[in-house]
């Protein structure tokens, strides 16, 4: 996949959103899209970036960071979301602790790689089953505000809230017509 | 004969003063709550394998406070990758204490996978240089005194007796209450 300058600008806007939301701790497991965001997280320089070995572990690190008084976000692919259910339920939902999830939404019609599709089909049903509110990015609107609103929603609902990063942010139109 | 968990816990009770303590679910949380209830304790209730990641998050958010994690060996096996994460962060204010009794104690003493795991060796191989296997309350006392004074992260694994006739204290605090009291003790809010 070719990650274009347009994709990079979207990544920058998302990171501006993390900054504006006063997120301080960013845990992550990358895929290609998340990797682009992490490059911008590193350039920004003020976040405590914590690459973790497994997504559910990152859920725990974020939980601890919020207990300690810092805003926290977990950046991961929907594969990681699907494997993190227990952590989200037994930490954030049980203890009513907010968490910002930035999740690359692979396997949608804009991202028709055959091995992503089973995850794409099941991502929103899984979130609904877990009772985790979620929103889909809209590349035509202010992405920075979309990150802030999702964090606000997480805080006000005292639990996780997910912003699903859609293919139109990162997949060049020339790659997936 | 191995040392009891209560004997190790008594050492902790003697030495822990203003440290934040994050307890893994089951026996670690329930014994510590019964022995030394205090606002600076956080008790996991249903999140197996998460005490070390949670403790790491607290340590990163509160760099001026020392954080002690109490966790079981089964939980370490469930989430061993987090040891490399701890090492990568270089969280100097984190002390991880493992009770190594080779069983899932809270669920009735079922055996862990029957492999002779060297937990300190696992931690060292994951990048935690200050990792030690210990046997006996006196050895733990010396190691913990040192860990409380010097930069970590430290990893102390305690060979622990499984005593099936010793009843584990019951949970007596709700998760939301635990969280609110802990955050209040730090003077932070969401």
């Amino acid at each position: 996949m070719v990650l274009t300058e347009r994709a990079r600008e979207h990544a920058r806007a998302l990171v501006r959103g993390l900054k504006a939301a006063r997120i301080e701790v960013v845990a992550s497991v990358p895929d290609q899209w998340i990797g682009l965001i992490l490059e911008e997280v590193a350039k920004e320089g003020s976040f405590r970036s914590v690459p973790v070995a497994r997504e559910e572990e990152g859920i725990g690190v974020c939980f601890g960071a919020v207990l300690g008084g810092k805003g926290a976000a977990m950046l991961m692919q929907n594969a990681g979301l699907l494997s993190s259910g227990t952590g989200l339920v037994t930490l954030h939902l049980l203890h009513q602790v907010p968490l910002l999830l930035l999740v690359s939404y692979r396997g949608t019609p804009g991202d028709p790689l055959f091995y992503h599709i089973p995850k794409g089909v099941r991502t929103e049903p899984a979130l609904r089953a877990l009772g985790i509110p979620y929103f889909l990015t809209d590349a035509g609107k202010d992405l920075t505000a979309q990150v802030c609103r999702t964090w606000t929603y997480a805080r006000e609902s005292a639990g996780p809230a997910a912003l699903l990063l859609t293919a139109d942010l990162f997949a060049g139109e020339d790659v997936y017509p | 004969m191995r040392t009891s968990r209560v004997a190790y816990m008594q050492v902790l009770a003697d030495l822990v003063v203003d440290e934040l303590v994050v307890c893994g679910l089951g026996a670690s949380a329930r014994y510590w709550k019964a022995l030394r209830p205090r606002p600076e304790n956080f008790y996991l209730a249903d999140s197996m394998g998460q005490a070390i990641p949670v403790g790491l998050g607290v340590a990163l958010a509160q760099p001026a406070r020392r954080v002690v994690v109490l966790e079981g060996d089964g939980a370490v096996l469930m989430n061993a990758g987090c040891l490399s994460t701890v090492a990568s962060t270089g969280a100097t204010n984190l002390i991880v204490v493992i009770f190594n009794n080779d069983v899932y104690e809270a669920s009735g003493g079922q055996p862990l996978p029957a492999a002779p795991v060297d937990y300190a060796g696992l931690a060292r191989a994951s990048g935690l240089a200050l990792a030690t296997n210990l046997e006996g309350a006196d050895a733990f006392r010396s190691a913990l005194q040192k860990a409380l004074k010097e930069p970590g992260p430290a990893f102390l694994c305690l060979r622990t007796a499984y005593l099936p006739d010793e009843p584990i204290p019951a949970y007596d605090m709700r998760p939301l209450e635990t969280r609110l009291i802990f955050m209040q003790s730090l003077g932070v809010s969401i």
Side-chain angles (χ1 to χ4, degrees):
Chain A
M1 180 187 296
V2 177
L3 291 171
T4 63
E5 180 55 33
R6 176 177 168 275
R8 188 167 294 282
E9 179 47 43
H10 289 148
R12 290 191 197 104
L14 293 168
V15 172
R16 286 196 295 274
L18 294 173
K19 186 75 177 171
R22 299 183 181 177
I23 297 295
E24 296 184 57
V25 175
V26 175
S28 63
V29 174
D31 69 352
Q32 198 171 22
W33 300 359
I34 296 295
L36 189 62
I37 301 171
L38 291 174
E39 288 179 20
E40 299 303 321
V41 165
K43 286 179 191 170
E44 205 286 331
S46 67
F47 299 103
R48 185 62 158 99
S49 180
V50 186
V52 296
R54 182 168 173 264
E55 292 87 349
E56 193 176 15
E57 179 198 329
I59 301 297
V61 171
C62 289
F63 180 84
V66 176
L67 283 188
K70 307 295 186 190
M74 179 70 207
L75 277 56
M76 60 185 168
Q77 198 196 76
N78 49 352
L81 176 74
L82 292 171
S83 69
S84 295
T86 301
L88 291 163
V89 170
T90 65
L91 289 172
H92 293 82
L93 290 169
L94 181 65
H95 296 273
Q96 300 180 31
V97 168
L99 170 64
L100 175 60
L101 300 167
L102 293 190
V103 179
S104 54
Y105 193 2
R106 308 306 302 262
T108 59
D111 177 33
L113 288 175
F114 68 92
Y115 54 84
H116 286 316
I117 289 174
K119 296 175 294 190
V121 169
R122 289 156 183 87
T123 295
E124 293 184 59
L127 284 164
R128 285 195 293 272
L130 291 168
I132 294 175
Y134 64 91
F135 312 97
L136 274 63
T137 50
D138 182 343
K141 295 182 179 174
D142 183 351
L143 287 169
T144 298
Q146 291 171 56
V147 173
C148 288
R149 279 200 295 269
T150 306
W151 174 238
T152 299
Y153 203 96
R155 290 181 66 198
E156 294 299 321
S157 63
L163 185 61
L164 300 181
L165 310 176
T166 51
D168 59 328
L169 298 190
F170 300 106
E173 292 171 6
D174 53 333
V175 180
Y176 298 123
Chain B
M1 184 177 173
R2 290 194 193 180
T3 302
S4 71
R5 183 189 298 259
V6 171
Y8 287 126
M9 287 280 187
Q10 189 57 57
V11 173
L12 281 160
D14 291 344
L15 298 182
V16 165
V17 180
D18 60 357
E19 290 76 15
L20 306 174
V21 179
V22 174
C23 304
L25 65 87
S28 296
R30 290 154 63 180
Y31 275 110
W32 183 245
K33 170 69 169 62
L35 186 63
R36 189 65 83 226
R38 53 203 279 279
E40 298 86 357
N41 297 338
F42 186 80
Y43 313 101
L44 289 173
D46 195 26
S47 315
M48 187 163 174
Q50 288 284 14
I52 297 173
V54 170
L56 174 61
V58 174
L60 295 176
Q62 293 283 326
R65 301 291 296 270
R66 206 172 287 264
V67 179
V68 179
V69 170
L70 308 182
E71 185 59 290
D73 47 6
V76 173
L77 292 182
M78 180 176 279
N79 202 6
C82 72
L83 299 175
S84 62
T85 303
V86 171
S88 73
T89 64
T92 57
N93 57 333
L94 185 64
I95 300 171
V96 176
V97 177
I98 304 300
F99 297 98
N100 167 214
N101 60 9
D102 300 321
V103 298
Y104 298 105
E105 183 170 347
S107 58
Q110 300 85 355
L112 267 56
V117 177
D118 172 1
Y119 289 92
L122 178 65
R124 282 194 297 272
S126 302
L128 293 169
L130 304 175
T132 316
N133 292 318
L134 298 163
E135 173 87 59
D138 291 342
F140 178 44
R141 184 179 296 275
S142 298
L144 183 59
Q145 284 172 328
K146 185 177 180 188
L148 288 168
K149 289 177 185 168
E150 298 181 358
F155 181 97
L156 308 177
C157 181
L158 310 176
R159 290 289 282 169
T160 306
Y162 170 53
L163 303 171
D165 295 331
E166 186 175 82
I168 305 173
Y171 277 115
D172 63 353
M173 191 180 282
R174 301 275 73 83
L176 179 58
E177 183 183 10
T178 297
R179 194 265 285 173
L180 292 172
I181 291 172
F182 183 79
M183 293 185 76
Q184 191 174 39
S185 80
L186 292 172
V188 300
S189 60
I190 292 171

